[in-house]
Short mmCIF file of all heavy atoms in Angstrom, two decimals:
data_model
loop_
_atom_site.label_atom_id
_atom_site.label_comp_id
_atom_site.label_asym_id
_atom_site.label_seq_id
_atom_site.Cartn_x
_atom_site.Cartn_y
_atom_site.Cartn_z
N MET F 311 -19.62 1.22 -0.66
CA MET F 311 -18.51 0.36 -0.42
C MET F 311 -17.35 0.77 -1.32
O MET F 311 -17.57 1.19 -2.45
CB MET F 311 -18.88 -1.10 -0.70
CG MET F 311 -17.70 -1.99 -0.56
SD MET F 311 -17.84 -3.71 -1.11
CE MET F 311 -18.97 -3.71 -2.42
N LEU F 312 -16.15 0.63 -0.79
CA LEU F 312 -14.94 0.88 -1.56
C LEU F 312 -14.10 -0.38 -1.61
O LEU F 312 -14.02 -1.10 -0.61
CB LEU F 312 -14.09 1.98 -0.92
CG LEU F 312 -14.66 3.38 -0.94
CD1 LEU F 312 -13.77 4.29 -0.10
CD2 LEU F 312 -14.75 3.91 -2.35
N LYS F 313 -13.46 -0.62 -2.73
CA LYS F 313 -12.49 -1.70 -2.85
C LYS F 313 -11.13 -1.02 -3.03
O LYS F 313 -10.94 -0.24 -3.96
CB LYS F 313 -12.81 -2.59 -4.04
CG LYS F 313 -14.10 -3.35 -3.86
CD LYS F 313 -14.34 -4.31 -5.01
CE LYS F 313 -15.63 -5.08 -4.78
NZ LYS F 313 -15.81 -6.12 -5.80
N ILE F 314 -10.21 -1.33 -2.13
CA ILE F 314 -8.93 -0.66 -2.10
C ILE F 314 -7.81 -1.67 -2.31
O ILE F 314 -7.81 -2.73 -1.68
CB ILE F 314 -8.72 0.06 -0.75
CG1 ILE F 314 -9.86 1.03 -0.49
CG2 ILE F 314 -7.37 0.76 -0.71
CD1 ILE F 314 -9.88 1.57 0.92
N ARG F 315 -6.85 -1.33 -3.15
CA ARG F 315 -5.66 -2.17 -3.32
C ARG F 315 -4.53 -1.56 -2.52
O ARG F 315 -4.20 -0.39 -2.72
CB ARG F 315 -5.27 -2.27 -4.79
CG ARG F 315 -4.02 -3.13 -4.99
CD ARG F 315 -3.70 -3.35 -6.43
NE ARG F 315 -3.39 -2.09 -7.07
CZ ARG F 315 -3.13 -1.97 -8.37
NH1 ARG F 315 -3.17 -3.01 -9.16
NH2 ARG F 315 -2.86 -0.80 -8.88
N LEU F 316 -3.96 -2.34 -1.63
CA LEU F 316 -2.80 -1.91 -0.85
C LEU F 316 -1.56 -2.52 -1.46
O LEU F 316 -1.55 -3.72 -1.77
CB LEU F 316 -2.93 -2.36 0.61
CG LEU F 316 -4.19 -1.94 1.36
CD1 LEU F 316 -4.19 -2.55 2.75
CD2 LEU F 316 -4.28 -0.43 1.43
N MET F 317 -0.51 -1.73 -1.64
CA MET F 317 0.74 -2.24 -2.18
C MET F 317 1.89 -1.79 -1.29
O MET F 317 1.95 -0.64 -0.88
CB MET F 317 0.95 -1.73 -3.61
CG MET F 317 -0.06 -2.26 -4.59
SD MET F 317 0.13 -1.62 -6.26
CE MET F 317 1.73 -2.24 -6.69
N GLY F 318 2.79 -2.73 -1.00
CA GLY F 318 3.95 -2.42 -0.18
C GLY F 318 4.56 -3.69 0.35
O GLY F 318 4.29 -4.78 -0.13
N THR F 319 5.39 -3.55 1.38
CA THR F 319 5.97 -4.72 2.01
C THR F 319 4.89 -5.42 2.85
O THR F 319 3.85 -4.83 3.14
CB THR F 319 7.15 -4.34 2.92
OG1 THR F 319 6.66 -3.51 3.98
CG2 THR F 319 8.24 -3.61 2.15
N LYS F 320 5.16 -6.64 3.24
CA LYS F 320 4.20 -7.38 4.07
C LYS F 320 3.88 -6.60 5.34
O LYS F 320 2.72 -6.47 5.73
CB LYS F 320 4.76 -8.74 4.46
CG LYS F 320 4.76 -9.76 3.36
CD LYS F 320 5.30 -11.08 3.90
CE LYS F 320 5.35 -12.13 2.83
NZ LYS F 320 5.84 -13.42 3.35
N ASN F 321 4.92 -6.07 5.98
CA ASN F 321 4.72 -5.34 7.23
C ASN F 321 3.91 -4.06 7.01
O ASN F 321 3.06 -3.72 7.84
CB ASN F 321 6.06 -5.00 7.89
CG ASN F 321 6.71 -6.23 8.48
OD1 ASN F 321 6.05 -7.21 8.79
ND2 ASN F 321 8.02 -6.17 8.63
N ASP F 322 4.18 -3.35 5.92
CA ASP F 322 3.44 -2.11 5.64
C ASP F 322 1.95 -2.39 5.42
O ASP F 322 1.10 -1.66 5.90
CB ASP F 322 4.00 -1.40 4.42
CG ASP F 322 5.37 -0.79 4.66
OD1 ASP F 322 5.73 -0.60 5.84
OD2 ASP F 322 6.07 -0.50 3.67
N ILE F 323 1.64 -3.45 4.70
CA ILE F 323 0.25 -3.80 4.42
C ILE F 323 -0.47 -4.20 5.70
O ILE F 323 -1.59 -3.76 5.97
CB ILE F 323 0.16 -4.91 3.35
CG1 ILE F 323 0.64 -4.35 2.00
CG2 ILE F 323 -1.25 -5.45 3.24
CD1 ILE F 323 0.81 -5.40 0.93
N LYS F 324 0.19 -5.01 6.53
CA LYS F 324 -0.41 -5.41 7.80
C LYS F 324 -0.62 -4.20 8.71
O LYS F 324 -1.66 -4.07 9.36
CB LYS F 324 0.46 -6.45 8.50
CG LYS F 324 0.44 -7.79 7.81
CD LYS F 324 1.38 -8.76 8.50
CE LYS F 324 1.46 -10.06 7.72
NZ LYS F 324 2.42 -10.99 8.34
N TRP F 325 0.36 -3.31 8.75
CA TRP F 325 0.29 -2.09 9.57
C TRP F 325 -0.90 -1.23 9.16
O TRP F 325 -1.70 -0.82 10.00
CB TRP F 325 1.60 -1.31 9.43
CG TRP F 325 1.55 0.08 9.91
CD1 TRP F 325 1.59 0.52 11.21
CD2 TRP F 325 1.47 1.26 9.11
NE1 TRP F 325 1.54 1.88 11.25
CE2 TRP F 325 1.46 2.37 9.98
CE3 TRP F 325 1.42 1.49 7.73
CZ2 TRP F 325 1.39 3.67 9.50
CZ3 TRP F 325 1.35 2.78 7.28
CH2 TRP F 325 1.33 3.85 8.16
N PHE F 326 -1.04 -0.98 7.85
CA PHE F 326 -2.13 -0.12 7.40
C PHE F 326 -3.47 -0.81 7.55
O PHE F 326 -4.48 -0.16 7.83
CB PHE F 326 -1.90 0.32 5.95
CG PHE F 326 -2.80 1.44 5.55
CD1 PHE F 326 -2.58 2.71 6.03
CD2 PHE F 326 -3.88 1.21 4.72
CE1 PHE F 326 -3.42 3.76 5.68
CE2 PHE F 326 -4.73 2.25 4.37
CZ PHE F 326 -4.50 3.52 4.85
N GLY F 327 -3.52 -2.11 7.36
CA GLY F 327 -4.76 -2.85 7.56
C GLY F 327 -5.27 -2.71 9.00
O GLY F 327 -6.46 -2.55 9.23
N LYS F 328 -4.36 -2.74 9.97
CA LYS F 328 -4.75 -2.56 11.37
C LYS F 328 -5.28 -1.15 11.61
O LYS F 328 -6.22 -0.96 12.38
CB LYS F 328 -3.56 -2.84 12.29
CG LYS F 328 -3.21 -4.30 12.37
CD LYS F 328 -2.01 -4.53 13.26
CE LYS F 328 -1.62 -5.99 13.27
NZ LYS F 328 -0.41 -6.24 14.07
N ILE F 329 -4.68 -0.16 10.96
CA ILE F 329 -5.17 1.22 11.09
C ILE F 329 -6.60 1.31 10.57
O ILE F 329 -7.47 1.91 11.21
CB ILE F 329 -4.25 2.21 10.34
CG1 ILE F 329 -2.93 2.33 11.08
CG2 ILE F 329 -4.91 3.57 10.18
CD1 ILE F 329 -1.89 3.17 10.35
N LEU F 330 -6.86 0.71 9.41
CA LEU F 330 -8.22 0.74 8.86
C LEU F 330 -9.22 0.06 9.78
O LEU F 330 -10.32 0.56 10.00
CB LEU F 330 -8.25 0.05 7.50
CG LEU F 330 -7.67 0.80 6.31
CD1 LEU F 330 -7.68 -0.08 5.07
CD2 LEU F 330 -8.43 2.08 6.06
N GLU F 331 -8.83 -1.09 10.34
CA GLU F 331 -9.75 -1.84 11.21
C GLU F 331 -10.06 -1.08 12.50
O GLU F 331 -11.15 -1.21 13.04
CB GLU F 331 -9.16 -3.21 11.53
CG GLU F 331 -9.17 -4.13 10.34
CD GLU F 331 -8.45 -5.44 10.57
OE1 GLU F 331 -7.78 -5.59 11.63
OE2 GLU F 331 -8.54 -6.32 9.71
N ARG F 332 -9.13 -0.27 12.98
CA ARG F 332 -9.34 0.47 14.23
C ARG F 332 -10.07 1.80 14.02
O ARG F 332 -10.52 2.40 14.99
CB ARG F 332 -7.99 0.77 14.90
CG ARG F 332 -7.38 -0.44 15.54
CD ARG F 332 -6.17 -0.03 16.36
NE ARG F 332 -5.12 -1.00 16.14
CZ ARG F 332 -3.85 -0.72 15.93
NH1 ARG F 332 -3.43 0.52 15.96
NH2 ARG F 332 -2.98 -1.66 15.73
N HIS F 333 -10.15 2.25 12.78
CA HIS F 333 -10.76 3.56 12.52
C HIS F 333 -12.26 3.50 12.80
O HIS F 333 -12.96 2.60 12.32
CB HIS F 333 -10.51 3.98 11.08
CG HIS F 333 -10.71 5.44 10.85
ND1 HIS F 333 -11.95 6.01 10.79
CD2 HIS F 333 -9.82 6.44 10.70
CE1 HIS F 333 -11.83 7.30 10.60
NE2 HIS F 333 -10.54 7.59 10.54
N SER F 334 -12.75 4.46 13.55
CA SER F 334 -14.14 4.43 14.00
C SER F 334 -15.16 4.70 12.88
O SER F 334 -16.32 4.31 13.00
CB SER F 334 -14.35 5.43 15.12
OG SER F 334 -14.09 6.75 14.66
N LYS F 335 -14.76 5.35 11.82
CA LYS F 335 -15.70 5.68 10.75
C LYS F 335 -15.67 4.70 9.59
O LYS F 335 -16.38 4.88 8.60
CB LYS F 335 -15.42 7.09 10.23
CG LYS F 335 -15.70 8.17 11.26
CD LYS F 335 -15.54 9.54 10.66
CE LYS F 335 -15.86 10.61 11.69
NZ LYS F 335 -15.72 11.95 11.13
N VAL F 336 -14.83 3.66 9.70
CA VAL F 336 -14.67 2.70 8.61
C VAL F 336 -14.94 1.29 9.13
O VAL F 336 -14.45 0.92 10.19
CB VAL F 336 -13.24 2.77 8.03
CG1 VAL F 336 -13.02 1.69 7.00
CG2 VAL F 336 -12.97 4.13 7.45
N ALA F 337 -15.73 0.53 8.40
CA ALA F 337 -15.96 -0.87 8.71
C ALA F 337 -15.30 -1.71 7.62
O ALA F 337 -15.67 -1.61 6.45
CB ALA F 337 -17.45 -1.17 8.78
N VAL F 338 -14.31 -2.50 7.99
CA VAL F 338 -13.61 -3.36 7.03
C VAL F 338 -14.45 -4.63 6.89
O VAL F 338 -14.69 -5.35 7.85
CB VAL F 338 -12.19 -3.70 7.53
CG1 VAL F 338 -11.51 -4.67 6.57
CG2 VAL F 338 -11.37 -2.43 7.67
N THR F 339 -14.90 -4.90 5.67
CA THR F 339 -15.76 -6.06 5.45
C THR F 339 -14.99 -7.26 4.93
O THR F 339 -15.43 -8.40 5.12
CB THR F 339 -16.90 -5.72 4.47
OG1 THR F 339 -16.34 -5.25 3.25
CG2 THR F 339 -17.82 -4.68 5.06
N GLU F 340 -13.86 -7.04 4.27
CA GLU F 340 -13.09 -8.16 3.74
C GLU F 340 -11.65 -7.73 3.50
O GLU F 340 -11.38 -6.61 3.06
CB GLU F 340 -13.70 -8.64 2.42
CG GLU F 340 -13.07 -9.90 1.89
CD GLU F 340 -13.78 -10.42 0.65
OE1 GLU F 340 -14.96 -10.10 0.46
OE2 GLU F 340 -13.12 -11.12 -0.13
N VAL F 341 -10.72 -8.65 3.79
CA VAL F 341 -9.29 -8.44 3.51
C VAL F 341 -8.80 -9.69 2.79
O VAL F 341 -9.01 -10.81 3.26
CB VAL F 341 -8.47 -8.23 4.80
CG1 VAL F 341 -6.99 -8.05 4.49
CG2 VAL F 341 -9.00 -7.04 5.58
N SER F 342 -8.15 -9.50 1.65
CA SER F 342 -7.66 -10.65 0.88
C SER F 342 -6.34 -11.16 1.44
O SER F 342 -5.73 -10.54 2.32
CB SER F 342 -7.46 -10.25 -0.59
OG SER F 342 -6.30 -9.45 -0.72
N ASP F 343 -5.88 -12.25 0.88
CA ASP F 343 -4.54 -12.75 1.18
C ASP F 343 -3.52 -11.82 0.53
O ASP F 343 -3.88 -10.98 -0.31
CB ASP F 343 -4.35 -14.16 0.60
CG ASP F 343 -5.24 -15.18 1.27
OD1 ASP F 343 -5.57 -15.00 2.46
OD2 ASP F 343 -5.61 -16.17 0.61
N LEU F 344 -2.26 -11.98 0.89
CA LEU F 344 -1.20 -11.22 0.26
C LEU F 344 -0.81 -11.88 -1.05
O LEU F 344 -0.70 -13.11 -1.13
CB LEU F 344 0.03 -11.15 1.17
CG LEU F 344 -0.08 -10.29 2.41
CD1 LEU F 344 1.15 -10.47 3.28
CD2 LEU F 344 -0.25 -8.83 2.04
N TYR F 345 -0.63 -11.07 -2.09
CA TYR F 345 -0.19 -11.55 -3.39
C TYR F 345 1.14 -10.92 -3.72
O TYR F 345 1.33 -9.71 -3.55
CB TYR F 345 -1.20 -11.18 -4.49
CG TYR F 345 -2.56 -11.79 -4.28
CD1 TYR F 345 -3.59 -11.04 -3.71
CD2 TYR F 345 -2.82 -13.10 -4.63
CE1 TYR F 345 -4.84 -11.59 -3.51
CE2 TYR F 345 -4.07 -13.67 -4.43
CZ TYR F 345 -5.07 -12.90 -3.87
OH TYR F 345 -6.30 -13.45 -3.67
N ARG F 346 2.07 -11.73 -4.21
CA ARG F 346 3.40 -11.23 -4.56
C ARG F 346 3.32 -10.45 -5.87
O ARG F 346 2.69 -10.89 -6.82
CB ARG F 346 4.35 -12.41 -4.71
CG ARG F 346 5.80 -12.03 -4.90
CD ARG F 346 6.67 -13.26 -5.14
NE ARG F 346 6.44 -14.30 -4.14
CZ ARG F 346 7.18 -14.45 -3.04
NH1 ARG F 346 8.19 -13.64 -2.81
NH2 ARG F 346 6.92 -15.42 -2.20
N ASN F 347 3.96 -9.27 -5.90
CA ASN F 347 4.03 -8.51 -7.15
C ASN F 347 5.03 -9.19 -8.08
O ASN F 347 6.06 -9.70 -7.64
CB ASN F 347 4.47 -7.07 -6.89
CG ASN F 347 3.35 -6.19 -6.44
OD1 ASN F 347 2.19 -6.58 -6.45
ND2 ASN F 347 3.68 -4.99 -6.02
N LYS F 348 4.73 -9.19 -9.36
CA LYS F 348 5.62 -9.82 -10.34
C LYS F 348 6.94 -9.06 -10.40
O LYS F 348 6.97 -7.84 -10.36
CB LYS F 348 4.98 -9.83 -11.72
CG LYS F 348 3.78 -10.75 -11.81
CD LYS F 348 3.22 -10.76 -13.21
CE LYS F 348 2.03 -11.69 -13.26
NZ LYS F 348 1.41 -11.73 -14.58
N GLY F 349 8.03 -9.81 -10.48
CA GLY F 349 9.34 -9.21 -10.66
C GLY F 349 10.03 -8.78 -9.38
O GLY F 349 11.11 -8.21 -9.43
N THR F 350 9.41 -9.01 -8.22
CA THR F 350 10.03 -8.61 -6.96
C THR F 350 9.64 -9.57 -5.85
O THR F 350 8.55 -10.13 -5.86
CB THR F 350 9.65 -7.17 -6.56
OG1 THR F 350 10.30 -6.84 -5.35
CG2 THR F 350 8.17 -7.00 -6.38
N ASN F 351 10.55 -9.76 -4.92
CA ASN F 351 10.26 -10.57 -3.75
C ASN F 351 9.96 -9.71 -2.54
O ASN F 351 9.63 -10.23 -1.48
CB ASN F 351 11.44 -11.49 -3.42
CG ASN F 351 11.62 -12.56 -4.46
OD1 ASN F 351 10.66 -13.00 -5.09
ND2 ASN F 351 12.86 -12.97 -4.67
N LYS F 352 10.08 -8.39 -2.70
CA LYS F 352 9.94 -7.48 -1.58
C LYS F 352 8.52 -6.92 -1.44
O LYS F 352 8.02 -6.74 -0.33
CB LYS F 352 10.93 -6.32 -1.73
CG LYS F 352 10.92 -5.35 -0.59
CD LYS F 352 11.97 -4.26 -0.77
CE LYS F 352 11.93 -3.30 0.38
NZ LYS F 352 12.90 -2.22 0.22
N TYR F 353 7.87 -6.66 -2.56
CA TYR F 353 6.59 -5.97 -2.53
C TYR F 353 5.43 -6.91 -2.81
O TYR F 353 5.51 -7.81 -3.64
CB TYR F 353 6.58 -4.81 -3.52
CG TYR F 353 7.58 -3.75 -3.14
CD1 TYR F 353 8.74 -3.58 -3.86
CD2 TYR F 353 7.36 -2.94 -2.04
CE1 TYR F 353 9.66 -2.62 -3.50
CE2 TYR F 353 8.28 -1.98 -1.66
CZ TYR F 353 9.42 -1.83 -2.40
OH TYR F 353 10.34 -0.88 -2.02
N TYR F 354 4.33 -6.65 -2.10
CA TYR F 354 3.13 -7.46 -2.19
C TYR F 354 1.93 -6.55 -2.39
O TYR F 354 2.05 -5.33 -2.30
CB TYR F 354 2.93 -8.26 -0.89
CG TYR F 354 3.97 -9.34 -0.69
CD1 TYR F 354 5.23 -9.03 -0.22
CD2 TYR F 354 3.67 -10.67 -0.98
CE1 TYR F 354 6.19 -10.02 -0.04
CE2 TYR F 354 4.62 -11.66 -0.79
CZ TYR F 354 5.88 -11.33 -0.33
OH TYR F 354 6.81 -12.31 -0.16
N ARG F 355 0.77 -7.16 -2.62
CA ARG F 355 -0.47 -6.40 -2.69
C ARG F 355 -1.56 -7.19 -1.98
O ARG F 355 -1.50 -8.41 -1.88
CB ARG F 355 -0.85 -6.07 -4.13
CG ARG F 355 -1.20 -7.25 -4.97
CD ARG F 355 -1.35 -6.86 -6.45
NE ARG F 355 -1.81 -7.99 -7.23
CZ ARG F 355 -1.04 -8.98 -7.66
NH1 ARG F 355 0.24 -8.99 -7.41
NH2 ARG F 355 -1.55 -9.96 -8.37
N ALA F 356 -2.53 -6.44 -1.47
CA ALA F 356 -3.70 -7.03 -0.84
C ALA F 356 -4.88 -6.15 -1.17
O ALA F 356 -4.71 -4.97 -1.49
CB ALA F 356 -3.51 -7.12 0.68
N TYR F 357 -6.06 -6.73 -1.12
CA TYR F 357 -7.27 -6.00 -1.46
C TYR F 357 -8.17 -5.94 -0.23
O TYR F 357 -8.33 -6.93 0.48
CB TYR F 357 -7.98 -6.69 -2.63
CG TYR F 357 -7.10 -6.75 -3.85
CD1 TYR F 357 -6.26 -7.83 -4.06
CD2 TYR F 357 -7.08 -5.71 -4.76
CE1 TYR F 357 -5.42 -7.88 -5.17
CE2 TYR F 357 -6.24 -5.75 -5.87
CZ TYR F 357 -5.42 -6.84 -6.08
OH TYR F 357 -4.59 -6.88 -7.16
N VAL F 358 -8.74 -4.76 0.01
CA VAL F 358 -9.57 -4.53 1.19
C VAL F 358 -10.89 -3.93 0.74
O VAL F 358 -10.92 -3.04 -0.12
CB VAL F 358 -8.86 -3.55 2.16
CG1 VAL F 358 -9.69 -3.32 3.40
CG2 VAL F 358 -7.48 -4.05 2.53
N GLU F 359 -11.98 -4.44 1.30
CA GLU F 359 -13.30 -3.84 1.07
C GLU F 359 -13.70 -3.12 2.35
O GLU F 359 -13.65 -3.71 3.43
CB GLU F 359 -14.34 -4.90 0.72
CG GLU F 359 -14.18 -5.45 -0.66
CD GLU F 359 -15.31 -6.40 -1.03
OE1 GLU F 359 -16.31 -6.49 -0.29
OE2 GLU F 359 -15.18 -7.05 -2.08
N VAL F 360 -14.09 -1.86 2.22
CA VAL F 360 -14.51 -1.08 3.37
C VAL F 360 -15.83 -0.37 3.07
O VAL F 360 -16.19 -0.18 1.91
CB VAL F 360 -13.45 -0.03 3.79
CG1 VAL F 360 -12.15 -0.68 4.16
CG2 VAL F 360 -13.23 0.99 2.70
N GLN F 361 -16.51 0.00 4.11
CA GLN F 361 -17.72 0.82 3.98
C GLN F 361 -17.81 1.73 5.19
O GLN F 361 -17.09 1.55 6.16
CB GLN F 361 -18.96 -0.04 3.83
CG GLN F 361 -19.23 -0.97 4.97
CD GLN F 361 -20.40 -1.90 4.66
OE1 GLN F 361 -20.81 -2.05 3.53
NE2 GLN F 361 -20.92 -2.52 5.69
N LYS F 362 -18.70 2.69 5.10
CA LYS F 362 -18.91 3.60 6.23
C LYS F 362 -19.43 2.83 7.41
O LYS F 362 -20.31 1.99 7.27
CB LYS F 362 -19.92 4.69 5.87
CG LYS F 362 -19.44 5.67 4.86
CD LYS F 362 -20.54 6.69 4.61
CE LYS F 362 -20.17 7.64 3.49
NZ LYS F 362 -21.26 8.59 3.23
N ALA F 363 -18.89 3.13 8.57
CA ALA F 363 -19.38 2.51 9.79
C ALA F 363 -20.71 3.17 10.16
O ALA F 363 -20.96 4.33 9.83
CB ALA F 363 -18.37 2.66 10.92
N ASN F 364 -21.55 2.45 10.86
CA ASN F 364 -22.84 3.00 11.29
C ASN F 364 -22.64 3.89 12.50
O ASN F 364 -22.71 3.43 13.64
CB ASN F 364 -23.82 1.87 11.61
CG ASN F 364 -24.21 1.11 10.37
OD1 ASN F 364 -24.25 1.67 9.29
ND2 ASN F 364 -24.49 -0.16 10.52
N ILE F 365 -22.41 5.14 12.22
CA ILE F 365 -22.19 6.12 13.29
C ILE F 365 -23.20 7.24 13.14
O ILE F 365 -23.39 7.77 12.05
CB ILE F 365 -20.77 6.73 13.20
CG1 ILE F 365 -19.72 5.63 13.38
CG2 ILE F 365 -20.59 7.83 14.22
CD1 ILE F 365 -18.30 6.12 13.19
N LYS F 366 -23.85 7.57 14.22
CA LYS F 366 -24.78 8.70 14.18
C LYS F 366 -23.98 9.97 14.40
O LYS F 366 -23.30 10.12 15.41
CB LYS F 366 -25.84 8.56 15.27
CG LYS F 366 -26.77 7.39 15.04
CD LYS F 366 -27.82 7.32 16.10
CE LYS F 366 -28.73 6.14 15.85
NZ LYS F 366 -29.76 6.03 16.88
N GLU F 367 -24.05 10.86 13.43
CA GLU F 367 -23.33 12.12 13.54
C GLU F 367 -24.12 13.11 14.38
O GLU F 367 -25.35 13.16 14.32
CB GLU F 367 -23.07 12.69 12.14
CG GLU F 367 -22.15 11.82 11.31
CD GLU F 367 -21.87 12.47 9.97
OE1 GLU F 367 -22.19 13.66 9.79
OE2 GLU F 367 -21.33 11.77 9.10
N LYS F 368 -23.39 13.90 15.12
CA LYS F 368 -24.02 14.93 15.94
C LYS F 368 -24.40 16.11 15.04
O LYS F 368 -23.60 16.52 14.19
CB LYS F 368 -23.06 15.43 17.01
CG LYS F 368 -22.72 14.36 18.02
CD LYS F 368 -21.74 14.90 19.06
CE LYS F 368 -21.36 13.82 20.03
NZ LYS F 368 -20.37 14.30 21.00
N PRO F 369 -25.60 16.66 15.17
CA PRO F 369 -25.97 17.81 14.35
C PRO F 369 -25.15 19.03 14.75
O PRO F 369 -24.78 19.20 15.92
CB PRO F 369 -27.45 18.01 14.65
CG PRO F 369 -27.73 17.24 15.89
CD PRO F 369 -26.66 16.20 16.03
N ASN F 370 -24.88 19.88 13.79
CA ASN F 370 -24.07 21.09 14.05
C ASN F 370 -24.88 22.16 14.70
O ASN F 370 -25.93 22.49 14.53
CB ASN F 370 -23.46 21.62 12.76
CG ASN F 370 -22.41 20.67 12.26
OD1 ASN F 370 -21.83 19.91 13.03
ND2 ASN F 370 -22.14 20.71 10.97
#
């Protein structure tokens, strides 16, 4: 499992979160709420937990 911190605008975080959720090799297990970064009203952070999706790889 990986714990990832995403930082950016609200739209950027939502955009990248959707990319992670649609990726076939990644299973998103948890997404936190958005937290405002100190000293700015523009940038936020969110935390995402991901793990490898259960995919059977084809032998070479």
Side-chain angles (χ1 to χ4, degrees):
M311 175 190 31
L312 292 172
K313 294 184 179 187
I314 303 169
R315 179 174 63 183
L316 304 177
M317 294 178 63
T319 63
K320 285 182 182 181
N321 288 338
D322 289 342
I323 292 171
K324 289 177 186 177
W325 165 77
F326 193 73
K328 288 178 183 177
I329 289 174
L330 285 175
E331 289 173 351
R332 286 189 222 137
H333 198 285
S334 62
K335 293 185 179 181
V336 175
V338 176
T339 57
E340 187 175 336
V341 179
S342 74
D343 294 331
L344 289 173
Y345 298 99
R346 187 184 310 265
N347 278 352
K348 291 182 180 179
T350 180
N351 291 330
K352 183 177 180 182
Y353 295 107
Y354 291 79
R355 66 189 185 280
Y357 301 90
V358 181
E359 287 186 10
V360 300
Q361 59 187 16
K362 291 180 186 178
N364 292 329
I365 298 175
K366 293 182 180 179
E367 295 183 12
K368 294 179 182 177
N370 291 336

